[in-house]
Amino acid sequence: WTAAKQLRNESERACDDLALSCGARASDYAEHLLDIVTSVRHDSTPVVALAMARRKEFEGRMLAILDPELRHSTPTRRQSVALMGALALISIVVGAAAPAPRAAKTANASVATMNDAQRQVPDDFTPHDAAKPNQANDEERSVSSVLKSAIQKSTQTTTQKTTIGSVTDRVSDTSANAAGHADENADAGPQVRPNVRPEVDLNGIAAKAIAQLGGSALSRSQKSDDRPALLANVLRTDSSASLRRIAAWGLSEYADQQIAAEALARALRSDSDASVREMAAWALAQGDEHNSVATTALVGALKSDSKEQVRIIAAWALGSLGDRDGVPALTAALSDANPAVRMRAIWGIGSIGPRTAPAPVIAALKDRDPQVRELAAWALYQMEDPNAVPALNAALRAETDKNLQIAYIRALGAIGEQSVDAIRNLLTSPDPRIKSMAVRALAGGNAAGPWPWPWPEPRPFP
């Protein structure tokens, strides 16, 4: 599975390299990919397109595309031949070094091993402490019980074909050394009848695995990652704001875990340093959209934090989480005095994609800041609400900026047939860009191309 996942990631990178080596501009190509990723929140997106939208994979992919130092061309023929030769040489060496299989063990030693394993596995054997039940424990108990029954059944079948008394004597004499000296035991004692089938050896191996299952499974279950708890403690108690910021940044990797989400939410509510609160808000965006702890903390920060940068990141984080419970707070933030807060709030609403466009988003088409107006057009493009057609038509007639006019036409085209009357008059426009976009909007589908805006917040570093 790990290899398959890595192969998919490398395949995506190879596609990026091919596109860039064929002459595509890195910035344009990155914008197209970003637009594809932001559109996967719609229900109509095919499932096969969702894999590229995972944050970690997509972030690394974008950095690789935009890094001018990386080489995107394909390997030369000489490099390919050298690589293939090296792989062939490694295969030969590994094949030559592989140990030859041992001869099949005698049934006498195998039966001894099985009986020894059965003595080590009591009838009430459970691989974990019953006081801590979980799904993994139940699976291991079921596996161990199945293997135990198979061993017991195989033992009964074997003893029907052998002399029970001689086998029992041999087991009692050699059980202490059966695991480490099976070959010696086989040579020392009399051989059992040759009609015992060789697959008994496999049962012996399974029996030994069962005997060790309890200890190995218990040791695995006792291993836990203490980093979330340690980082949460630093975030909660350390006197250094820079260290608390680093701890919040580190907790972003565990934002799905309750201990991390609660620590980040507490820091966002009460930490005295604005940079720590900002980082906590960003880290909460990396968690699960259904985590009410994160949503509640981000809503509170967006409403009441005194620092504009914290409110900006809180608005972006709510949009990134995609929780519809954050829409009312984002809608209320459209009245914020800071245009950057209003921009992120509109971006958040468009990313969440409510079924109907909130009235303040439609009203933002008249905002005094042109970037806010463009974000409003993008959000309406995402939501495809027919109720926005009159406002988009009015904004299109009143707007003098050609780029914003094209943005409004894109939004109208996404709405569909309800916007035909608004687009009809643009077919005679003397501006070739306006006329072209009007035709593309009428054509529908992907004729208008991907939306080149907006970029999400970049990953911060402590």
Side-chain angles (χ1 to χ4, degrees):
W1 293 336
T2 302
K5 178 182 178 182
Q6 187 64 25
L7 180 61
R8 287 193 297 269
N9 293 340
E10 294 301 331
S11 298
E12 296 288 350
R13 300 281 182 95
C15 293
D16 298 339
D17 290 343
L18 180 60
L20 296 175
S21 64
C22 289
R25 290 180 56 189
S27 57
D28 293 342
Y29 183 60
E31 288 179 353
H32 293 326
L33 289 180
L34 179 66
D35 188 72
I36 294 172
V37 170
T38 55
S39 68
V40 301
R41 294 181 184 274
H42 292 283
D43 296 337
S44 59
T45 301
V47 176
V48 294
L50 297 177
M52 67 172 289
R54 296 189 181 98
R55 287 191 184 94
K56 294 180 181 179
E57 288 83 353
F58 185 69
E59 180 182 88
R61 190 174 171 186
M62 296 295 281
L63 292 175
I65 291 171
L66 297 173
D67 189 348
E69 302 297 328
L70 286 181
R71 179 173 175 271
H72 298 286
S73 59
T74 57
T76 63
R77 180 174 296 180
R78 178 176 299 177
Q79 291 173 330
S80 299
V81 171
L83 177 60
M84 293 174 63
L87 292 175
L89 180 61
I90 292 173
S91 300
I92 293 172
V93 172
V94 172
R102 289 185 179 181
K105 296 180 181 179
T106 62
N108 188 23
S110 301
V111 175
T113 305
M114 286 191 294
N115 289 332
D116 181 57
Q118 286 179 305
R119 284 196 298 272
Q120 296 178 31
V121 183
D123 292 336
D124 58 349
F125 167 75
T126 54
H128 292 290
D129 186 358
K132 300 178 180 179
N134 54 45
Q135 183 178 358
N137 295 350
D138 295 337
E139 292 174 356
E140 288 172 343
R141 290 191 186 99
S142 63
V143 171
S144 64
S145 61
V146 170
L147 288 177
K148 273 183 61 181
S149 63
I151 291 167
Q152 292 171 352
K153 181 178 179 181
S154 176
T155 304
Q156 293 171 1
T157 303
T158 303
T159 53
Q160 290 174 1
K161 297 183 179 182
T162 59
T163 304
I164 297 176
S166 62
V167 172
T168 305
D169 294 338
R170 177 56 55 191
V171 168
S172 62
D173 293 337
T174 61
S175 59
N177 299 319
H181 306 284
D183 294 335
E184 296 176 6
N185 294 337
D187 295 336
Q191 300 297 316
V192 296
R193 296 178 183 178
N195 62 351
V196 179
R197 293 178 295 177
E199 56 261 34
V200 174
D201 291 336
L202 299 178
N203 293 330
I205 295 173
K208 293 177 67 176
I210 286 296
Q212 299 173 358
L213 178 61
S216 61
L218 182 59
S219 62
R220 286 197 303 271
S221 68
Q222 290 175 342
K223 293 179 181 179
S224 61
D225 193 347
D226 294 332
R227 287 177 292 182
L230 295 174
L231 289 171
N233 186 60
V234 172
L235 180 59
R236 183 175 61 254
T237 62
D238 202 279
S239 60
S240 172
S242 62
L243 291 182
R244 296 199 304 275
R245 179 179 170 87
I246 294 173
W249 182 82
L251 284 173
S252 66
E253 295 293 328
Y254 311 95
D256 288 334
Q257 299 184 22
Q258 194 68 11
I259 185 173
E262 291 177 352
L264 291 168
R266 181 181 182 279
L268 181 57
R269 288 193 302 267
S270 59
D271 198 281
S272 59
D273 191 274
S275 67
V276 177
R277 299 199 302 275
E278 175 190 353
M279 185 63 77
W282 176 85
L284 284 171
Q286 314 307 310
D288 185 4
E289 67 175 279
H290 302 296
N291 192 329
S292 60
V293 173
T295 300
T296 301
L298 290 169
V299 166
L302 181 58
K303 289 181 177 179
S304 60
D305 198 282
S306 60
K307 295 297 183 180
E308 295 173 346
Q309 188 60 27
V310 178
R311 299 200 302 275
I312 289 172
I313 300 300
W316 168 82
L318 283 172
S320 296
L321 281 177
D323 190 344
R324 293 184 184 273
D325 291 340
V327 172
L330 290 168
T331 303
L334 295 180
S335 61
D336 197 285
N338 189 306
V341 176
R342 299 199 300 275
M343 285 173 57
R344 290 344 185 266
I346 294 177
W347 181 87
I349 295 172
S351 297
I352 295 173
R355 293 181 177 84
T356 58
V361 175
I362 299 176
L365 292 170
K366 300 179 180 179
D367 196 277
R368 59 184 178 275
D369 188 281
Q371 288 186 312
V372 174
R373 298 199 297 273
E374 186 174 6
L375 258 296
W378 172 82
L380 295 173
Y381 168 88
Q382 295 290 99
M383 289 179 278
E384 303 177 3
D385 187 356
N387 296 323
V389 170
L392 283 168
N393 193 19
L396 179 60
R397 293 197 303 267
E399 188 60 60
T400 58
D401 188 312
K402 295 298 181 183
N403 291 328
L404 286 177
Q405 288 178 353
I406 289 176
Y408 299 152
I409 297 172
R410 284 180 184 271
L412 285 169
I415 293 173
E417 60 180 346
Q418 293 89 341
S419 63
V420 172
D421 291 338
I423 299 174
R424 190 191 311 274
N425 296 331
L426 301 176
L427 296 176
T428 58
S429 173
D431 189 312
R433 293 179 61 198
I434 298 296
K435 183 176 180 179
S436 174
M437 186 55 65
V439 173
R440 293 174 182 274
L442 287 175
N446 295 323
W451 191 287
W453 167 263
W455 286 95
E457 290 293 328
R459 178 180 175 88
F461 290 93

Coordinates of all heavy atoms in Angstrom, one line a residue, residues 22 44 80 87 112 191 217 223 243 257 279 453:
C22 N 7.0 20.7 -21.5 CA 6.4 21.1 -22.8 C 6.1 22.5 -23.0 O 5.6 22.9 -24.1 CB 5.1 20.3 -23.0 SG 5.3 18.5 -23.2
S44 N -20.7 16.9 -7.4 CA -20.6 16.3 -8.7 C -19.2 15.9 -9.1 O -19.0 15.3 -10.1 CB -21.1 17.3 -9.8 OG -20.3 18.5 -9.8
S80 N 18.8 6.5 -18.2 CA 17.8 5.4 -18.1 C 18.5 4.0 -18.1 O 18.2 3.1 -17.4 CB 16.7 5.5 -19.2 OG 16.1 6.7 -19.1
L87 N 19.6 -1.4 -11.3 CA 18.5 -2.2 -10.7 C 18.7 -3.7 -11.0 O 18.5 -4.6 -10.1 CB 17.2 -1.8 -11.2 CG 16.7 -0.4 -10.8 CD1 15.4 0.0 -11.5 CD2 16.5 -0.3 -9.3
A112 N 5.9 -31.8 18.1 CA 6.4 -31.3 19.4 C 6.3 -29.8 19.5 O 5.9 -29.3 20.6 CB 7.9 -31.7 19.6
Q191 N 12.0 -41.9 14.1 CA 11.2 -41.2 13.2 C 9.8 -41.7 13.2 O 9.5 -42.9 13.4 CB 11.7 -41.4 11.7 CG 13.2 -40.9 11.6 CD 13.2 -39.4 11.8 OE1 12.4 -38.7 11.3 NE2 14.2 -39.0 12.5
A217 N 1.8 -8.5 20.3 CA 0.7 -7.6 20.1 C 0.6 -6.6 21.2 O 0.3 -5.4 21.1 CB -0.6 -8.4 19.9
K223 N 2.9 0.9 22.5 CA 3.6 1.9 21.8 C 2.6 3.0 21.4 O 1.8 2.7 20.6 CB 4.4 1.4 20.6 CG 5.5 0.4 21.0 CD 6.2 -0.1 19.7 CE 7.3 -1.1 20.1 NZ 8.0 -1.6 18.9
L243 N 8.4 29.4 21.4 CA 8.3 28.0 21.6 C 6.8 27.6 21.5 O 6.5 26.5 21.0 CB 8.9 27.6 22.9 CG 10.4 27.7 23.0 CD1 10.9 27.2 24.3 CD2 11.1 26.9 21.9
Q257 N -6.7 14.7 16.3 CA -6.7 14.1 17.6 C -7.3 15.1 18.6 O -7.0 16.3 18.5 CB -5.4 13.7 18.1 CG -4.7 12.6 17.2 CD -3.4 12.1 17.7 OE1 -3.2 12.2 18.9 NE2 -2.6 11.5 16.8
M279 N -1.0 31.1 14.7 CA -0.6 29.8 14.4 C -1.5 28.7 14.8 O -1.8 27.7 14.1 CB 0.8 29.5 15.0 CG 1.4 28.2 14.5 SD 1.8 28.1 12.8 CE 3.2 29.1 12.6
W453 N -8.2 32.3 -9.6 CA -8.1 33.0 -8.4 C -9.1 32.3 -7.4 O -10.2 31.8 -7.9 CB -8.5 34.4 -8.6 CG -8.8 35.2 -7.4 CD1 -10.0 35.5 -6.8 CD2 -7.8 35.9 -6.5 NE1 -9.8 36.3 -5.7 CE2 -8.5 36.5 -5.5 CE3 -6.4 35.9 -6.5 CZ2 -7.9 37.2 -4.5 CZ3 -5.8 36.6 -5.5 CH2 -6.5 37.3 -4.5

